[in-house]
Amino acid sequence: MQVQHNEHDKELKTKKHKQLAIVSVVNGEGMKTLFADLGCDVVIDGGATMNTSSQEFIDAFAQLDADAIVVLPNNPNVILAAEQAVKLYGAENITVLPSRSVAEGYFAIAMDMQASDNVDFRIKEMRDGLQNTVTLCETTASRDYTYHEISCKKGEEILLVNNKIACVNTDWKQAIIDGLGKVEDIDDRETCIIFRGEGIEQELEDELLEAIEENYPLLEAEFVDAGMSVYHWIIGLV
C-alpha cells in the first residue's frame, strides 16, 4: 500500500500545472489527433455512438493539474454525462461548455485566448466561439424517417443543420449545397471547416470544394481528414 501511495504522489508531482486545461470528446483517429494538436489535454474517444460515461470524464479530470478545466462534450448526448461527472467529482473549477458538435468544439478552442491570464475571459471567448458556430452534418439515412414536414427513405442522403434535418436528396453533394442555403445568414459567414469522414476519397473532397466555390465563392473552406464513422461530412460555419 505504501508503494502505491508513493507512486501516486510521484504521479501528481510530475503533472504539469496549467492555468486552463481542456477535455474533449471526439470520434475518429483523425479527430483525436486534431484536437490533441489544438491543445486539448485529454481527448476521449467517444466511439461511433459518442456514448461517453461519467466515469470516463472523472478519469480525465484526475489526470489534470489546472486552475480551471473546460469540458467540450461535442455531442448533445454527451452533455448530461459530462455535467453529472462534474457533480460527482465535486470540483468547483470545472466548466462544461455544451458543444453539440466537433465543429462547435473546434471553434471554441480556436477562440481560446491562451496568452491571457484571465481564465474567466478565456472561457467566455470559448463559449462565444461555439455559440457562433453553425454545424451541418451529412450522412445516409439508415431507415425511413419523418421530422416535422421533412421525410426521407432509407438510403437517401440527409443533411442536418444544428442537429435538425434540413434537406433530403439522392445526391450527397446537392444535399450539402441545399443545406448551406438553409442557413439564414450564410452570406455573412466567411469560413468553414469541413471534417471528412471515414472512407471518403480525396476526389469527393475535390468535388465538394468545387461545388462550394461555385455556389458560395466568398466562403473560405478548409478540409480535415477526421475519420469519423457516423457522418460522411461535418461542416462548421463561422
Side-chain angles (χ1 to χ4, degrees):
M1 289 295 292
Q2 184 61 42
V3 172
Q4 291 179 348
H5 181 72
N6 291 341
E7 288 297 322
H8 180 65
D9 286 347
K10 181 180 179 181
E11 181 181 347
L12 288 175
K13 290 177 182 178
T14 57
K15 289 181 182 177
K16 181 181 178 181
H17 179 78
K18 298 190 68 174
Q19 186 180 51
L20 179 65
I22 302 173
V23 176
S24 292
V25 182
V26 300
N27 165 242
E29 289 301 318
M31 202 76 79
K32 286 167 62 178
T33 300
L34 172 65
F35 272 72
D37 289 346
L38 287 172
C40 287
D41 299 274
V42 180
V43 181
I44 300 172
D45 189 344
T49 59
M50 293 289 279
N51 189 24
T52 306
S53 68
S54 295
Q55 187 60 50
E56 289 178 273
F57 284 110
I58 291 172
D59 292 342
F61 302 156
Q63 299 178 42
L64 300 171
D65 177 14
D67 295 332
I69 298 172
V70 163
V71 183
L72 296 169
N74 296 335
N75 188 288
N77 300 327
V78 181
I79 294 173
L80 181 59
E83 292 174 340
Q84 289 177 333
V86 173
K87 291 180 181 178
L88 292 170
Y89 197 67
E92 297 182 355
N93 65 333
I94 305 176
T95 301
V96 177
L97 295 182
S99 52
R100 299 167 298 170
S101 70
V102 290
E104 289 186 2
Y106 174 90
F107 283 113
I109 298 171
M111 289 296 292
D112 179 20
M113 305 296 288
Q114 297 184 21
S116 173
D117 292 328
N118 188 328
V119 171
D120 291 337
F121 171 72
R122 290 177 63 182
I123 294 175
K124 177 187 178 299
E125 289 295 292
M126 293 178 71
R127 190 185 300 274
D128 289 345
L130 72 88
Q131 290 178 341
N132 291 330
T133 303
V134 173
T135 302
L136 284 71
C137 300
E138 191 279 326
T139 192
T140 305
S142 59
R143 60 183 175 86
D144 294 353
Y145 184 79
T146 299
Y147 176 81
H148 292 182
E149 298 179 354
I150 299 178
S151 296
C152 67
K153 296 181 179 179
K154 181 179 179 179
E156 289 186 314
E157 303 299 317
I158 57 175
L159 192 286
L160 291 78
V161 176
N162 289 339
N163 294 305
K164 296 179 180 178
I165 295 180
C167 302
V168 176
N169 204 294
T170 55
D171 180 83
W172 65 272
K173 188 168 49 182
Q174 191 58 49
I176 292 175
I177 296 302
D178 291 346
L180 289 169
K182 297 284 187 179
V183 179
E184 292 183 1
D185 60 350
I186 185 62
D187 292 335
D188 297 326
R189 303 276 169 172
E190 299 177 348
T191 303
C192 69
I193 183 163
I194 304 175
F195 302 99
R196 193 175 77 194
E198 185 179 35
I200 300 298
E201 300 294 335
Q202 177 67 44
E203 62 185 43
L204 299 182
E205 178 181 310
D206 296 339
E207 289 181 22
L208 180 55
L209 178 60
E210 182 179 353
I212 291 174
E213 290 178 339
E214 180 180 347
N215 289 273
Y216 301 97
L218 299 181
L219 191 62
E220 183 178 347
E222 178 182 349
F223 287 82
V224 175
D225 185 8
M228 64 274 180
S229 57
V230 177
Y231 296 108
H232 302 147
W233 308 93
I234 297 177
I235 302 173
L237 292 165
V238 293

